[in-house]
Amino acid sequence: PAPASILNAMKEFQDNDFGGYGGEPKFPHFAFLEWAIEHMLEGMVPEEFGKHIIHSVDGILQGGLYDHVRGGIHRYSVDQKWLVPHFEKMLYDQAGLLKLLAKTSLIYPSPLVFDGLIQTIDYLKNEMLSEKGYFFAAQDADSEGVEGLYFTFSKDEFIDAVIDFDENLTDEMDTFLKWFQITDEGNFERQLNVISLDSKYKEEFYSPEGWNKVRQVRSALLEARKMRIPPITDNKGIASWNFQIVSALVDVVQYCKIESIALSASELLNSVILKIQETFIIPSSDGIKSKIITTTTRTDHVPLFEDYVNFCESQFRFYEISGNESFKGTALQTLSYIFDEFYDQGKFLTRAR
């Protein structure tokens, strides 16, 4: 069916107030939003639905679902407003976010979008990258046994963090409290505040001067957070999620027109690609059929469909931006293996036969 038909069928599930689809708990549905953006770029989405897609991206990036302090995205929102997340961070969600924002940047050059790319790449590089060159699986929601404690601030903590960072910001504190929705009562448990931006004031903080202030406040809160006990990181590597990140970084390189952002993605990609393949791809003794191990904690298992599909996509994406025939050859060999080992009577199996 045509994209307009699909979006029309989804209309009854639209949240016209806050963006997205469905009610609480509310997931960002990155793949669907990315699909919609792709068709918007082709001019195949009516304006009514296009506005909702952009409204959805805005809502996700302004709300607490997005980590304004470090970058990256939490799993889902427990409310309809994208305000209070379940604070766990999953690697595959970071891939979905990067792919969505890279393409969105072509039609919606918002500071939220560009900073979302910058911060999330920085987050992956500084908090999710192992010494062996693969990306960790996830970060927990809890620290010191309390969900969200690491990510949230009381009003006094927020004020102290900003002033400690730069006393010259003191005179604008009322504006910052308003923009970031910081109150004495808090919007979370124990009078704590989830960091978010209030869309009512977007005309103020979207100005060049206003956005510079937003960046300063975010930097101040990051410095304060460095003094806290962070959540535990699940430090195993998961093959399919790492291949998704590889494809997402290729998307940033290909679609983002801000040279410094594309360069940052390219540098990270070049630093990990061989190490990710060395970690998860085990050459066979005959040198013909290599095996993908699903995780760094388990090597003896039946081949899994998602590992080979995501690896195949990453190779095709490399071929698209480089024109290197070796990537195309690897992708086609993998595709052939997928059909040989996973396709059975009109359907694909999750495990090899």
Side-chain angles (χ1 to χ4, degrees), residues 338-350:
I338 289 170
F339 274 92
D340 288 344
E341 300 296 330
F342 295 98
Y343 190 71
D344 183 49
Q345 299 182 15
K347 61 182 181 295
F348 286 102
L349 307 176
T350 59

Side-chain angles (χ1 to χ4, degrees), residues 175-190:
T175 297
F176 300 149
L177 294 172
K178 177 182 70 174
W179 287 358
F180 286 92
Q181 306 189 79
I182 306 299
T183 64
D184 289 311
E185 298 79 17
N187 54 31
F188 188 54
E189 302 164 355
R190 301 174 302 280

Side-chain angles (χ1 to χ4, degrees), residues 45-57:
V45 173
E47 182 179 4
E48 171 196 359
F49 298 125
K51 285 182 176 179
H52 181 75
I53 297 301
I54 296 301
H55 179 47
S56 301
V57 174

